[in-house]
């Protein structure tokens, strides 16, 4: 009877094809190719600083480093030298402690006592001088309708990238208020007596956002128009009866790296505590506080420096209209190495790091 020793060891070992991004392994190359087509791996995905595995979101990365099924070596190193806010790994515990003094931010000072309506006179609508690249918005809603369930905008706040409030006002409700939701909004009937009409609010907001840009160019590539940041922006814009181009919206509730592992949205309260290190919305909601928190989240995501391996990846990252793999034949893809497959893969969302050109 022949033993296994009579055969070359390689004959008994099947070749495994390992994804260069998430490290999943497949028996057949065609299965790896199929995986790459639907995974949208790219340099923009959150990455473990220990093993270099790429994850679909920061929530997935946290599970990888600190979850119940965390990888042993990654979990150990992250526990010693990993920042629980930004997930970076540092050379030593001392370096981590120095970093945490910067990474863990203080809560913004409330602006509840600000006299409203407020419009910052220094804002330069004509585009000369310093132009903030992004504006954050937040609205507070009172209840309307017989069952008090309709959200009606009664207060709106806008801040710039320096966290300076540039527009803050109470808004005349479109329909009668049936519940001021005072325990959450802090709004009373008295606050709305001299509120600004919605049409005037819309005009002022659009004036700030358009920044003197034409509607045609705004819709094409934005031009000088400002990026609008917020949490659940669709809801706020709907309550304001406003539209703004999708390519200029930066929504912390819908940005894939900030979503749950099942791609449901986290609350702004959770994101602020998890990524910035402080609590919000513990009592009456302050729209200025929410604006600043959304802006800080956006700037933290935008500041990430994602290294690229070549211009092919850069071009892929800037466009998500088509699938890169569609331009290759099946045999060509199967002849590529895992690294080459990763090289031509791209995200199915626009990474916010592209807003500031942090690519190399």
């Amino acid at each position: 009877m022949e033993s296994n020793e009579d055969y070359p060891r390689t004959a008994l070992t099947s070749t495994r094809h390992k994804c260069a991004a998430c490290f999943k392994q497949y028996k057949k190359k065609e299965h790896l190719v199929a995986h790459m087509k639907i995974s949208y791996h790219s340099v923009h995905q959150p990455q473990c600083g220990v093993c270099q595995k790429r994850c679909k979101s920061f929530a997935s990365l946290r599970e990888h480093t600190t979850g119940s099924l965390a990888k042993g070596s990654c979990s150990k190193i992250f526990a010693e030298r990993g920042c629980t806010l930004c997930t970076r790994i540092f050379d030593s515990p001392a370096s981590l402690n120095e970093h945490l003094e910067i990474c863990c931010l203080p809560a913004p000072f409330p602006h509840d006592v600000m006299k409203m309506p407020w419009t910052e006179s220094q804002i330069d609508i004509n585009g000369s001088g310093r132009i903030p690249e992004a504006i954050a918005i937040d609205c507070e809603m009172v209840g309307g309708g017989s069952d008090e369930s309709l959200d009606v905008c009664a207060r709106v706040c806008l801040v710039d990238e320096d966290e300076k409030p540039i527009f803050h006002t109470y808004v005349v409700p479109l329909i009668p208020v049936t519940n001021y939701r005072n325990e959450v909004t802090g709004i009373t009937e008295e606050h709305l007596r001299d509120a600004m009409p919605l049409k005037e609010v819309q005009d002022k907001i659009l004036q700030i956002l358009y920044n003197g840009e034409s509607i045609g160019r705004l819709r094409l590539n934005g031009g000088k128009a400002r990026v609008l940041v917020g949490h659940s922006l669709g809801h706020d814009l709907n309550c304001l009866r406003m539209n703004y181009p999708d390519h200029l919206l930066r929504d912390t509730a819908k940005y894939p790296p900030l979503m749950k592992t099942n791609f449901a949205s986290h609350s702004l309260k959770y994101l602020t505590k998890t990524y910035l290190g402080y609590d919000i919305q513990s009592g009456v909601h302050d729209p200025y506080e929410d604006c600043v928190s959304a802006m800080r989240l956006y700037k933290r995501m935008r500041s990430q420096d994602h290294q690229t391996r070549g211009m092919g990846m850069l071009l892929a990252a800037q466009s998500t209209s088509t699938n890169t793999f569609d331009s290759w034949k099946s045999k060509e893809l199967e002849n590529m190495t895992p690294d080459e497959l990763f090289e031509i893969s791209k995200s199915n969302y626009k990474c916010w790091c592209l807003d500031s050109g942090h690519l190399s």
Side-chain angles (χ1 to χ4, degrees):
M1 180 177 178
E2 295 181 344
S3 68
N4 290 339
E5 299 296 333
D6 297 323
Y7 294 93
R9 186 174 297 275
T10 54
L12 299 174
T13 305
S14 59
T15 302
R16 305 289 290 185
H17 303 278
K18 185 178 180 180
C19 174
C22 68
F23 303 159
K24 288 183 179 179
Q25 297 186 38
Y26 299 88
K27 291 182 179 180
K28 295 183 178 181
K29 189 64 169 290
E30 62 192 77
H31 294 165
L32 172 60
V33 172
H35 160 77
M36 294 298 294
K37 286 182 176 181
I38 63 174
S39 296
Y40 299 100
H41 288 311
S42 82
V43 296
H44 300 288
Q45 290 180 313
Q47 185 176 32
C48 175
V50 182
C51 71
Q52 309 306 311
K53 175 182 177 180
R54 295 193 180 274
C55 302
K56 61 184 179 181
S57 66
F58 282 103
S60 298
L61 178 56
R62 291 176 192 279
E63 285 193 358
H64 171 75
T65 54
T66 62
S68 57
L69 299 177
K71 185 177 178 181
S73 59
C74 298
S75 177
K76 182 177 184 297
I77 293 176
F78 188 84
E80 295 172 351
R81 298 185 275 117
C83 176
T84 57
L85 297 176
C86 69
T87 71
R88 289 174 57 194
I89 303 290
F90 291 84
D91 295 334
S92 66
S95 297
L96 170 62
N97 290 334
E98 290 181 7
H99 163 78
L100 284 174
E101 293 181 2
I102 301 173
C103 196
C104 186
L105 301 176
F109 187 78
H111 276 66
D112 285 335
V113 296
M114 179 184 293
K115 182 179 179 181
M116 291 188 283
W118 168 270
T119 301
E120 171 56 61
S121 59
Q122 298 301 315
I123 195 81
D124 190 349
I125 302 301
N126 294 322
S128 59
R130 183 181 182 278
I131 303 175
E133 297 176 355
I135 297 293
I137 188 171
D138 184 70
C139 299
E140 287 300 322
M141 314 295 180
V142 293
S146 58
D147 61 355
E148 307 174 352
S149 65
L150 296 178
D151 287 339
V152 184
C153 182
R155 186 178 176 184
V156 62
C157 179
L158 276 70
V159 303
D160 64 16
E161 290 196 24
D162 294 325
E163 303 179 5
K164 180 190 296 183
I166 56 176
F167 183 57
H168 198 178
T169 187
Y170 290 111
V171 183
V172 176
L174 276 179
I175 61 176
V177 178
T178 53
N179 185 349
Y180 285 92
R181 303 173 182 173
N182 180 262
E183 67 283 357
V184 174
T185 66
I187 296 174
T188 65
E189 183 178 359
E190 183 65 27
H191 288 128
L192 301 183
R193 291 192 189 281
D194 298 316
M196 186 177 291
L198 181 61
K199 181 62 170 64
E200 188 175 346
V201 170
Q202 293 169 337
D203 290 343
K204 287 185 177 295
I205 292 176
L206 290 178
Q207 185 184 33
I208 292 169
L209 295 179
Y210 279 33
N211 193 36
E213 191 55 84
S214 66
I215 294 179
R217 189 168 182 186
L218 175 91
R219 292 174 178 171
L220 180 63
N221 59 13
K224 295 184 298 181
R226 294 180 168 98
V227 164
L228 182 61
V229 176
H231 191 79
S232 299
L233 278 171
H235 182 247
D236 282 354
L237 290 174
N238 182 56
C239 291
L240 285 167
R241 300 295 191 270
M242 290 176 57
N243 294 302
Y244 202 57
D246 288 345
H247 65 275
L248 293 175
L249 301 180
R250 303 293 182 265
D251 194 336
T252 56
K254 293 185 176 181
Y255 188 52
L258 292 178
M259 299 177 80
K260 299 179 182 180
T261 54
N262 64 354
F263 287 112
S265 298
H266 280 297
S267 67
L268 181 61
K269 181 181 180 72
Y270 171 87
L271 292 176
T272 300
K273 181 65 174 178
T274 303
Y275 294 88
L276 304 177
Y278 61 88
D279 292 302
I280 62 170
Q281 302 175 351
S282 55
V284 173
H285 291 196
D286 178 9
Y288 171 77
E289 184 180 60
D290 290 355
C291 272
V292 170
S293 298
M295 179 63 80
R296 288 176 176 179
L297 285 166
Y298 166 70
K299 290 172 69 176
R300 182 152 290 184
M301 294 295 106
R302 187 184 66 181
S303 67
Q304 293 182 80
D305 190 359
H306 294 146
Q307 301 295 317
T308 62
R309 304 183 186 184
M311 286 304 295
M313 179 60 72
L314 175 59
L315 293 174
Q318 293 175 327
S319 173
T320 58
S321 59
T322 59
N323 191 319
T324 314
F325 292 95
D326 291 343
S327 59
W328 297 83
K329 296 179 180 179
S330 296
K331 286 298 181 183
E332 291 175 325
L333 293 172
E334 290 177 18
N335 287 331
M336 291 183 182
T337 66
D339 283 339
E340 288 172 337
L341 289 171
F342 178 65
E343 189 76 30
I344 66 169
S345 184
K346 66 179 181 180
S347 301
N348 57 349
Y349 63 91
K350 179 183 176 181
C351 182
W352 290 351
C353 79
L354 295 170
D355 287 347
S356 56
H358 280 180
L359 289 166
S360 59

